[in-house]
Amino acid sequence: MHILQALLCVSLVAAPGWSSPPTKGELIKRTVKTIINIAEITLEHIKKVRTKLPVAPQIEVSTPSIDGLTSITHDLALLDNELQSPFTELLSQIQADVSSLEGRVRSFAETMDCPIQAKPQGQTRDNSFPDSHHHETLMKVKLYLDNLILHKDKLKVC
């Protein structure tokens, strides 16, 4: 009986792919997939929040281009700061998502030895029209995440 158990253990340990740690390429692939999953979940949260807001006004926003991990980290930190406004309580789940995403990208960028800037300080904004501010902020985050998903290959470069 002990011999059978020993043979089973040896065969499991010697099984191809089970005993070796993942390669750097596999780790990059997994991390990119995780980042994209968080972005997709955040987009779903945005859809839910937008149904709770009054009808969206026509707002045009622009988002920075997706250049690589360094710029993505910076841009997500800026969006995170904007979502932390006291007038964005309704957006707390999206803020938590973006903060998590920024942290994941920042950690990945550090692992990839990319130059990372310090997190930018939050700025206070005049929020005389909180609903418009909510729509504008949600649109910025949505467009940026849509663009990030579209250009996910940029998550592999600094």
Side-chain angles (χ1 to χ4, degrees):
M1 182 69 165
H2 293 288
I3 294 174
L4 185 57
Q5 288 175 337
L7 286 174
L8 179 62
C9 287
V10 168
S11 67
L12 288 175
V13 170
W18 287 9
S19 59
S20 62
T23 64
K24 185 175 181 177
E26 290 170 339
L27 289 174
I28 290 171
K29 220 176 186 181
R30 287 182 195 169
T31 303
V32 168
K33 184 175 172 114
T34 300
I35 289 168
I36 295 304
N37 284 341
I38 295 170
E40 289 170 340
I41 289 167
T42 304
L43 289 170
E44 287 301 314
H45 290 156
I46 289 171
K47 279 184 194 176
K48 285 182 182 179
V49 169
R50 290 178 83 182
T51 63
K52 296 176 183 176
L53 292 172
V55 176
Q58 290 294 343
I59 298 175
E60 288 188 36
V61 296
S62 63
T63 60
S65 62
I66 307 287
D67 297 324
L69 288 168
T70 301
S71 69
I72 294 168
T73 302
H74 179 74
D75 297 338
L76 288 171
L78 291 173
L79 289 171
D80 184 23
N81 284 344
E82 191 166 338
L83 287 162
Q84 289 182 27
S85 163
F87 299 100
T88 57
E89 182 180 313
L90 179 65
L91 309 181
S92 61
Q93 179 61 56
I94 285 89
Q95 186 276 321
D97 293 345
V98 170
S99 182
S100 172
L101 186 60
E102 188 273 335
R104 180 69 61 129
V105 172
R106 180 175 292 278
S107 174
F108 184 50
E110 290 170 351
T111 301
M112 299 288 286
D113 293 326
C114 297
I116 301 296
Q117 302 171 2
K119 283 182 102 169
Q121 296 296 325
Q123 298 175 348
T124 57
R125 282 181 54 167
D126 173 28
N127 287 315
S128 302
F129 303 99
D131 288 340
S132 295
H133 175 70
H134 290 147
H135 283 291
E136 179 184 5
T137 303
L138 286 174
M139 186 58 72
K140 281 182 189 177
V141 175
K142 180 188 178 321
L143 289 176
Y144 191 81
L145 295 181
D146 284 339
N147 202 14
L148 177 64
I149 291 168
L150 188 63
H151 296 96
K152 64 184 172 191
D153 58 309
K154 299 291 185 170
L155 287 166
K156 297 177 183 176
V157 297
C158 289

